[in-house]
PDB file of all heavy atoms in Angstrom:
ATOM      1  N   PHE A 352      31.567 -17.352  30.016  1.00 85.00           N
ATOM      2  CA  PHE A 352      30.877 -17.485  28.743  1.00 85.00           C
ATOM      3  C   PHE A 352      30.845 -16.142  28.036  1.00 85.00           C
ATOM      4  O   PHE A 352      30.743 -15.089  28.673  1.00 85.00           O
ATOM      5  CB  PHE A 352      29.460 -18.014  28.948  1.00 85.00           C
ATOM      6  CG  PHE A 352      29.410 -19.486  29.214  1.00 85.00           C
ATOM      7  CD1 PHE A 352      29.528 -19.985  30.510  1.00 85.00           C
ATOM      8  CD2 PHE A 352      29.267 -20.389  28.175  1.00 85.00           C
ATOM      9  CE1 PHE A 352      29.496 -21.339  30.757  1.00 85.00           C
ATOM     10  CE2 PHE A 352      29.229 -21.750  28.413  1.00 85.00           C
ATOM     11  CZ  PHE A 352      29.350 -22.234  29.700  1.00 85.00           C
ATOM     12  N   ALA A 353      30.964 -16.183  26.703  1.00 90.00           N
ATOM     13  CA  ALA A 353      30.993 -14.969  25.907  1.00 90.00           C
ATOM     14  C   ALA A 353      30.036 -15.095  24.734  1.00 90.00           C
ATOM     15  O   ALA A 353      29.716 -16.199  24.286  1.00 90.00           O
ATOM     16  CB  ALA A 353      32.413 -14.706  25.403  1.00 90.00           C
ATOM     17  N   ASP A 354      29.576 -13.956  24.234  1.00 93.00           N
ATOM     18  CA  ASP A 354      28.733 -13.920  23.050  1.00 93.00           C
ATOM     19  C   ASP A 354      29.547 -14.419  21.855  1.00 93.00           C
ATOM     20  O   ASP A 354      30.627 -13.893  21.568  1.00 93.00           O
ATOM     21  CB  ASP A 354      28.254 -12.492  22.812  1.00 93.00           C
ATOM     22  CG  ASP A 354      27.270 -12.386  21.657  1.00 93.00           C
ATOM     23  OD1 ASP A 354      27.693 -12.631  20.505  1.00 93.00           O
ATOM     24  OD2 ASP A 354      26.103 -12.052  21.897  1.00 93.00           O
ATOM     25  N   ALA A 355      29.030 -15.415  21.160  1.00 93.00           N
ATOM     26  CA  ALA A 355      29.785 -16.015  20.055  1.00 93.00           C
ATOM     27  C   ALA A 355      30.052 -15.016  18.942  1.00 93.00           C
ATOM     28  O   ALA A 355      31.137 -15.014  18.351  1.00 93.00           O
ATOM     29  CB  ALA A 355      29.041 -17.236  19.516  1.00 93.00           C
ATOM     30  N   ASN A 356      29.080 -14.165  18.644  1.00 92.00           N
ATOM     31  CA  ASN A 356      29.266 -13.206  17.559  1.00 92.00           C
ATOM     32  C   ASN A 356      30.366 -12.197  17.858  1.00 92.00           C
ATOM     33  O   ASN A 356      30.947 -11.614  16.939  1.00 92.00           O
ATOM     34  CB  ASN A 356      27.959 -12.485  17.242  1.00 92.00           C
ATOM     35  CG  ASN A 356      27.038 -13.317  16.375  1.00 92.00           C
ATOM     36  OD1 ASN A 356      27.446 -13.813  15.335  1.00 92.00           O
ATOM     37  ND2 ASN A 356      25.808 -13.500  16.810  1.00 92.00           N
ATOM     38  N   GLU A 357      30.647 -11.988  19.137  1.00 93.00           N
ATOM     39  CA  GLU A 357      31.742 -11.093  19.517  1.00 93.00           C
ATOM     40  C   GLU A 357      33.058 -11.849  19.655  1.00 93.00           C
ATOM     41  O   GLU A 357      34.099 -11.227  19.887  1.00 93.00           O
ATOM     42  CB  GLU A 357      31.398 -10.381  20.830  1.00 93.00           C
ATOM     43  CG  GLU A 357      30.182  -9.463  20.733  1.00 93.00           C
ATOM     44  CD  GLU A 357      29.837  -8.811  22.050  1.00 93.00           C
ATOM     45  OE1 GLU A 357      30.559  -9.047  23.048  1.00 93.00           O
ATOM     46  OE2 GLU A 357      28.835  -8.055  22.094  1.00 93.00           O
ATOM     47  N   SER A 358      33.011 -13.160  19.502  1.00 93.00           N
ATOM     48  CA  SER A 358      34.199 -13.989  19.691  1.00 93.00           C
ATOM     49  C   SER A 358      34.600 -14.746  18.431  1.00 93.00           C
ATOM     50  O   SER A 358      35.451 -15.631  18.493  1.00 93.00           O
ATOM     51  CB  SER A 358      33.931 -15.009  20.816  1.00 93.00           C
ATOM     52  OG  SER A 358      33.506 -14.377  21.996  1.00 93.00           O
ATOM     53  N   LEU A 359      33.985 -14.403  17.292  1.00 95.00           N
ATOM     54  CA  LEU A 359      34.215 -15.184  16.076  1.00 95.00           C
ATOM     55  C   LEU A 359      35.678 -15.189  15.647  1.00 95.00           C
ATOM     56  O   LEU A 359      36.200 -16.223  15.211  1.00 95.00           O
ATOM     57  CB  LEU A 359      33.328 -14.656  14.945  1.00 95.00           C
ATOM     58  CG  LEU A 359      31.843 -15.016  15.064  1.00 95.00           C
ATOM     59  CD1 LEU A 359      31.019 -14.228  14.044  1.00 95.00           C
ATOM     60  CD2 LEU A 359      31.626 -16.512  14.869  1.00 95.00           C
ATOM     61  N   VAL A 360      36.368 -14.059  15.773  1.00 95.00           N
ATOM     62  CA  VAL A 360      37.784 -14.019  15.383  1.00 95.00           C
ATOM     63  C   VAL A 360      38.607 -14.944  16.272  1.00 95.00           C
ATOM     64  O   VAL A 360      39.500 -15.655  15.798  1.00 95.00           O
ATOM     65  CB  VAL A 360      38.321 -12.571  15.451  1.00 95.00           C
ATOM     66  CG1 VAL A 360      39.828 -12.546  15.228  1.00 95.00           C
ATOM     67  CG2 VAL A 360      37.625 -11.700  14.415  1.00 95.00           C
ATOM     68  N   LYS A 361      38.275 -14.966  17.550  1.00 94.00           N
ATOM     69  CA  LYS A 361      38.980 -15.855  18.482  1.00 94.00           C
ATOM     70  C   LYS A 361      38.639 -17.320  18.213  1.00 94.00           C
ATOM     71  O   LYS A 361      39.461 -18.211  18.435  1.00 94.00           O
ATOM     72  CB  LYS A 361      38.600 -15.479  19.915  1.00 94.00           C
ATOM     73  CG  LYS A 361      39.563 -15.980  20.966  1.00 94.00           C
ATOM     74  CD  LYS A 361      39.269 -15.344  22.312  1.00 94.00           C
ATOM     75  CE  LYS A 361      40.331 -15.720  23.324  1.00 94.00           C
ATOM     76  NZ  LYS A 361      40.110 -15.047  24.635  1.00 94.00           N
ATOM     77  N   MET A 362      37.419 -17.571  17.732  1.00 95.00           N
ATOM     78  CA  MET A 362      36.986 -18.935  17.438  1.00 95.00           C
ATOM     79  C   MET A 362      37.647 -19.487  16.179  1.00 95.00           C
ATOM     80  O   MET A 362      37.729 -20.696  15.982  1.00 95.00           O
ATOM     81  CB  MET A 362      35.463 -18.979  17.280  1.00 95.00           C
ATOM     82  CG  MET A 362      34.705 -18.741  18.585  1.00 95.00           C
ATOM     83  SD  MET A 362      32.987 -18.188  18.337  1.00 95.00           S
ATOM     84  CE  MET A 362      32.308 -19.540  17.384  1.00 95.00           C
ATOM     85  N   ALA A 363      38.103 -18.597  15.307  1.00 96.00           N
ATOM     86  CA  ALA A 363      38.694 -19.028  14.037  1.00 96.00           C
ATOM     87  C   ALA A 363      40.071 -19.646  14.268  1.00 96.00           C
ATOM     88  O   ALA A 363      40.861 -19.165  15.087  1.00 96.00           O
ATOM     89  CB  ALA A 363      38.796 -17.853  13.077  1.00 96.00           C
ATOM     90  N   SER A 364      40.359 -20.695  13.534  1.00 95.00           N
ATOM     91  CA  SER A 364      41.653 -21.366  13.610  1.00 95.00           C
ATOM     92  C   SER A 364      42.793 -20.398  13.339  1.00 95.00           C
ATOM     93  O   SER A 364      42.763 -19.636  12.364  1.00 95.00           O
ATOM     94  CB  SER A 364      41.688 -22.513  12.590  1.00 95.00           C
ATOM     95  OG  SER A 364      43.012 -22.895  12.302  1.00 95.00           O
ATOM     96  N   GLY A 365      43.798 -20.421  14.194  1.00 94.00           N
ATOM     97  CA  GLY A 365      44.957 -19.556  13.995  1.00 94.00           C
ATOM     98  C   GLY A 365      45.666 -19.842  12.694  1.00 94.00           C
ATOM     99  O   GLY A 365      46.147 -18.924  12.015  1.00 94.00           O
ATOM    100  N   LYS A 366      45.726 -21.112  12.321  1.00 95.00           N
ATOM    101  CA  LYS A 366      46.384 -21.487  11.073  1.00 95.00           C
ATOM    102  C   LYS A 366      45.590 -20.970   9.879  1.00 95.00           C
ATOM    103  O   LYS A 366      46.178 -20.490   8.896  1.00 95.00           O
ATOM    104  CB  LYS A 366      46.531 -23.002  10.990  1.00 95.00           C
ATOM    105  CG  LYS A 366      47.396 -23.476   9.839  1.00 95.00           C
ATOM    106  CD  LYS A 366      47.672 -24.964   9.920  1.00 95.00           C
ATOM    107  CE  LYS A 366      48.583 -25.405   8.776  1.00 95.00           C
ATOM    108  NZ  LYS A 366      48.878 -26.853   8.824  1.00 95.00           N
ATOM    109  N   ALA A 367      44.268 -21.048   9.940  1.00 95.00           N
ATOM    110  CA  ALA A 367      43.435 -20.537   8.844  1.00 95.00           C
ATOM    111  C   ALA A 367      43.616 -19.026   8.707  1.00 95.00           C
ATOM    112  O   ALA A 367      43.712 -18.501   7.591  1.00 95.00           O
ATOM    113  CB  ALA A 367      41.969 -20.880   9.092  1.00 95.00           C
ATOM    114  N   LYS A 368      43.677 -18.312   9.830  1.00 95.00           N
ATOM    115  CA  LYS A 368      43.851 -16.861   9.785  1.00 95.00           C
ATOM    116  C   LYS A 368      45.206 -16.483   9.196  1.00 95.00           C
ATOM    117  O   LYS A 368      45.345 -15.465   8.515  1.00 95.00           O
ATOM    118  CB  LYS A 368      43.700 -16.268  11.189  1.00 95.00           C
ATOM    119  CG  LYS A 368      42.270 -16.250  11.694  1.00 95.00           C
ATOM    120  CD  LYS A 368      42.133 -15.545  13.020  1.00 95.00           C
ATOM    121  CE  LYS A 368      42.634 -16.377  14.168  1.00 95.00           C
ATOM    122  NZ  LYS A 368      42.314 -15.777  15.489  1.00 95.00           N
ATOM    123  N   ALA A 369      46.207 -17.328   9.449  1.00 93.00           N
ATOM    124  CA  ALA A 369      47.553 -17.015   8.984  1.00 93.00           C
ATOM    125  C   ALA A 369      47.780 -17.404   7.526  1.00 93.00           C
ATOM    126  O   ALA A 369      48.548 -16.743   6.817  1.00 93.00           O
ATOM    127  CB  ALA A 369      48.581 -17.721   9.867  1.00 93.00           C
ATOM    128  N   GLU A 370      47.100 -18.457   7.065  1.00 92.00           N
ATOM    129  CA  GLU A 370      47.443 -19.026   5.759  1.00 92.00           C
ATOM    130  C   GLU A 370      46.368 -18.877   4.683  1.00 92.00           C
ATOM    131  O   GLU A 370      46.681 -18.969   3.491  1.00 92.00           O
ATOM    132  CB  GLU A 370      47.790 -20.515   5.922  1.00 92.00           C
ATOM    133  CG  GLU A 370      48.978 -20.766   6.831  1.00 92.00           C
ATOM    134  CD  GLU A 370      49.337 -22.235   6.937  1.00 92.00           C
ATOM    135  OE1 GLU A 370      48.691 -23.053   6.250  1.00 92.00           O
ATOM    136  OE2 GLU A 370      50.249 -22.558   7.720  1.00 92.00           O
ATOM    137  N   ASP A 371      45.119 -18.664   5.062  1.00 92.00           N
ATOM    138  CA  ASP A 371      44.035 -18.668   4.074  1.00 92.00           C
ATOM    139  C   ASP A 371      43.423 -17.271   3.942  1.00 92.00           C
ATOM    140  O   ASP A 371      43.084 -16.636   4.934  1.00 92.00           O
ATOM    141  CB  ASP A 371      42.944 -19.665   4.486  1.00 92.00           C
ATOM    142  CG  ASP A 371      43.490 -21.082   4.625  1.00 92.00           C
ATOM    143  OD1 ASP A 371      44.483 -21.397   3.956  1.00 92.00           O
ATOM    144  OD2 ASP A 371      42.914 -21.853   5.418  1.00 92.00           O
ATOM    145  N   ARG A 372      43.265 -16.816   2.714  1.00 92.00           N
ATOM    146  CA  ARG A 372      42.660 -15.494   2.483  1.00 92.00           C
ATOM    147  C   ARG A 372      41.151 -15.521   2.699  1.00 92.00           C
ATOM    148  O   ARG A 372      40.547 -14.519   3.063  1.00 92.00           O
ATOM    149  CB  ARG A 372      42.979 -15.013   1.061  1.00 92.00           C
ATOM    150  CG  ARG A 372      44.433 -14.621   0.867  1.00 92.00           C
ATOM    151  CD  ARG A 372      44.630 -13.908  -0.460  1.00 92.00           C
ATOM    152  NE  ARG A 372      43.795 -12.722  -0.580  1.00 92.00           N
ATOM    153  CZ  ARG A 372      44.108 -11.536  -0.061  1.00 92.00           C
ATOM    154  NH1 ARG A 372      45.226 -11.390   0.631  1.00 92.00           N
ATOM    155  NH2 ARG A 372      43.311 -10.496  -0.236  1.00 92.00           N
ATOM    156  N   SER A 373      40.539 -16.657   2.430  1.00 95.00           N
ATOM    157  CA  SER A 373      39.107 -16.820   2.698  1.00 95.00           C
ATOM    158  C   SER A 373      38.866 -18.222   3.224  1.00 95.00           C
ATOM    159  O   SER A 373      39.474 -19.182   2.746  1.00 95.00           O
ATOM    160  CB  SER A 373      38.277 -16.557   1.438  1.00 95.00           C
ATOM    161  OG  SER A 373      38.579 -17.492   0.434  1.00 95.00           O
ATOM    162  N   PHE A 374      38.004 -18.336   4.216  1.00 97.00           N
ATOM    163  CA  PHE A 374      37.728 -19.639   4.825  1.00 97.00           C
ATOM    164  C   PHE A 374      36.425 -19.557   5.610  1.00 97.00           C
ATOM    165  O   PHE A 374      35.876 -18.468   5.833  1.00 97.00           O
ATOM    166  CB  PHE A 374      38.882 -20.080   5.734  1.00 97.00           C
ATOM    167  CG  PHE A 374      39.190 -19.136   6.864  1.00 97.00           C
ATOM    168  CD1 PHE A 374      38.591 -19.269   8.105  1.00 97.00           C
ATOM    169  CD2 PHE A 374      40.092 -18.090   6.674  1.00 97.00           C
ATOM    170  CE1 PHE A 374      38.886 -18.401   9.144  1.00 97.00           C
ATOM    171  CE2 PHE A 374      40.384 -17.206   7.700  1.00 97.00           C
ATOM    172  CZ  PHE A 374      39.783 -17.358   8.947  1.00 97.00           C
ATOM    173  N   LYS A 375      35.957 -20.691   6.019  1.00 97.00           N
ATOM    174  CA  LYS A 375      34.733 -20.773   6.815  1.00 97.00           C
ATOM    175  C   LYS A 375      35.070 -21.324   8.193  1.00 97.00           C
ATOM    176  O   LYS A 375      35.895 -22.229   8.330  1.00 97.00           O
ATOM    177  CB  LYS A 375      33.702 -21.683   6.130  1.00 97.00           C
ATOM    178  CG  LYS A 375      32.418 -21.873   6.939  1.00 97.00           C
ATOM    179  CD  LYS A 375      31.307 -22.496   6.112  1.00 97.00           C
ATOM    180  CE  LYS A 375      31.594 -23.913   5.711  1.00 97.00           C
ATOM    181  NZ  LYS A 375      30.452 -24.527   4.996  1.00 97.00           N
ATOM    182  N   VAL A 376      34.440 -20.776   9.205  1.00 97.00           N
ATOM    183  CA  VAL A 376      34.483 -21.332  10.553  1.00 97.00           C
ATOM    184  C   VAL A 376      33.110 -21.951  10.804  1.00 97.00           C
ATOM    185  O   VAL A 376      32.094 -21.259  10.687  1.00 97.00           O
ATOM    186  CB  VAL A 376      34.779 -20.250  11.606  1.00 97.00           C
ATOM    187  CG1 VAL A 376      34.637 -20.814  13.016  1.00 97.00           C
ATOM    188  CG2 VAL A 376      36.175 -19.690  11.403  1.00 97.00           C
ATOM    189  N   GLY A 377      33.078 -23.243  11.089  1.00 97.00           N
ATOM    190  CA  GLY A 377      31.769 -23.872  11.213  1.00 97.00           C
ATOM    191  C   GLY A 377      31.740 -25.073  12.139  1.00 97.00           C
ATOM    192  O   GLY A 377      32.773 -25.670  12.464  1.00 97.00           O
ATOM    193  N   PHE A 378      30.527 -25.399  12.557  1.00 97.00           N
ATOM    194  CA  PHE A 378      30.235 -26.585  13.371  1.00 97.00           C
ATOM    195  C   PHE A 378      29.008 -27.245  12.764  1.00 97.00           C
ATOM    196  O   PHE A 378      28.005 -26.573  12.506  1.00 97.00           O
ATOM    197  CB  PHE A 378      29.963 -26.187  14.819  1.00 97.00           C
ATOM    198  CG  PHE A 378      29.516 -27.333  15.694  1.00 97.00           C
ATOM    199  CD1 PHE A 378      30.389 -28.363  16.008  1.00 97.00           C
ATOM    200  CD2 PHE A 378      28.237 -27.373  16.209  1.00 97.00           C
ATOM    201  CE1 PHE A 378      29.981 -29.416  16.822  1.00 97.00           C
ATOM    202  CE2 PHE A 378      27.818 -28.412  17.014  1.00 97.00           C
ATOM    203  CZ  PHE A 378      28.694 -29.441  17.329  1.00 97.00           C
ATOM    204  N   ARG A 379      29.083 -28.545  12.508  1.00 97.00           N
ATOM    205  CA  ARG A 379      27.988 -29.253  11.842  1.00 97.00           C
ATOM    206  C   ARG A 379      27.620 -30.512  12.628  1.00 97.00           C
ATOM    207  O   ARG A 379      28.489 -31.256  13.072  1.00 97.00           O
ATOM    208  CB  ARG A 379      28.420 -29.659  10.428  1.00 97.00           C
ATOM    209  CG  ARG A 379      27.304 -30.269   9.591  1.00 97.00           C
ATOM    210  CD  ARG A 379      27.846 -30.744   8.255  1.00 97.00           C
ATOM    211  NE  ARG A 379      28.693 -31.930   8.422  1.00 97.00           N
ATOM    212  CZ  ARG A 379      29.514 -32.408   7.489  1.00 97.00           C
ATOM    213  NH1 ARG A 379      29.620 -31.790   6.326  1.00 97.00           N
ATOM    214  NH2 ARG A 379      30.234 -33.489   7.719  1.00 97.00           N
ATOM    215  N   VAL A 380      26.320 -30.712  12.774  1.00 95.00           N
ATOM    216  CA  VAL A 380      25.805 -31.900  13.459  1.00 95.00           C
ATOM    217  C   VAL A 380      24.817 -32.611  12.544  1.00 95.00           C
ATOM    218  O   VAL A 380      23.955 -31.973  11.937  1.00 95.00           O
ATOM    219  CB  VAL A 380      25.083 -31.534  14.779  1.00 95.00           C
ATOM    220  CG1 VAL A 380      24.548 -32.790  15.462  1.00 95.00           C
ATOM    221  CG2 VAL A 380      26.011 -30.803  15.718  1.00 95.00           C
ATOM    222  N   VAL A 381      24.965 -33.925  12.447  1.00 95.00           N
ATOM    223  CA  VAL A 381      23.990 -34.751  11.736  1.00 95.00           C
ATOM    224  C   VAL A 381      23.301 -35.622  12.786  1.00 95.00           C
ATOM    225  O   VAL A 381      23.972 -36.328  13.544  1.00 95.00           O
ATOM    226  CB  VAL A 381      24.657 -35.641  10.669  1.00 95.00           C
ATOM    227  CG1 VAL A 381      23.606 -36.510   9.971  1.00 95.00           C
ATOM    228  CG2 VAL A 381      25.409 -34.786   9.643  1.00 95.00           C
ATOM    229  N   PHE A 382      21.981 -35.536  12.844  1.00 93.00           N
ATOM    230  CA  PHE A 382      21.254 -36.323  13.839  1.00 93.00           C
ATOM    231  C   PHE A 382      19.963 -36.865  13.247  1.00 93.00           C
ATOM    232  O   PHE A 382      19.457 -36.373  12.231  1.00 93.00           O
ATOM    233  CB  PHE A 382      20.973 -35.503  15.105  1.00 93.00           C
ATOM    234  CG  PHE A 382      20.143 -34.269  14.897  1.00 93.00           C
ATOM    235  CD1 PHE A 382      18.770 -34.299  15.064  1.00 93.00           C
ATOM    236  CD2 PHE A 382      20.741 -33.066  14.570  1.00 93.00           C
ATOM    237  CE1 PHE A 382      18.001 -33.152  14.886  1.00 93.00           C
ATOM    238  CE2 PHE A 382      19.991 -31.915  14.385  1.00 93.00           C
ATOM    239  CZ  PHE A 382      18.622 -31.961  14.553  1.00 93.00           C
ATOM    240  N   THR A 383      19.446 -37.888  13.884  1.00 91.00           N
ATOM    241  CA  THR A 383      18.237 -38.560  13.414  1.00 91.00           C
ATOM    242  C   THR A 383      17.183 -38.554  14.505  1.00 91.00           C
ATOM    243  O   THR A 383      17.488 -38.799  15.680  1.00 91.00           O
ATOM    244  CB  THR A 383      18.541 -40.023  13.017  1.00 91.00           C
ATOM    245  OG1 THR A 383      19.596 -40.047  12.056  1.00 91.00           O
ATOM    246  CG2 THR A 383      17.309 -40.689  12.429  1.00 91.00           C
TER     247      THR A 383
END
Side-chain angles (χ1 to χ4, degrees):
F352 283 88
D354 185 294
N356 280 308
E357 296 178 1
S358 306
L359 286 169
V360 173
K361 199 169 187 177
M362 291 159 59
S364 160
K366 189 172 182 180
K368 287 185 284 189
E370 299 182 3
D371 301 333
R372 289 191 58 82
S373 63
F374 59 91
K375 177 167 67 176
V376 172
F378 174 68
R379 186 185 71 194
V380 179
V381 179
F382 60 94
T383 305

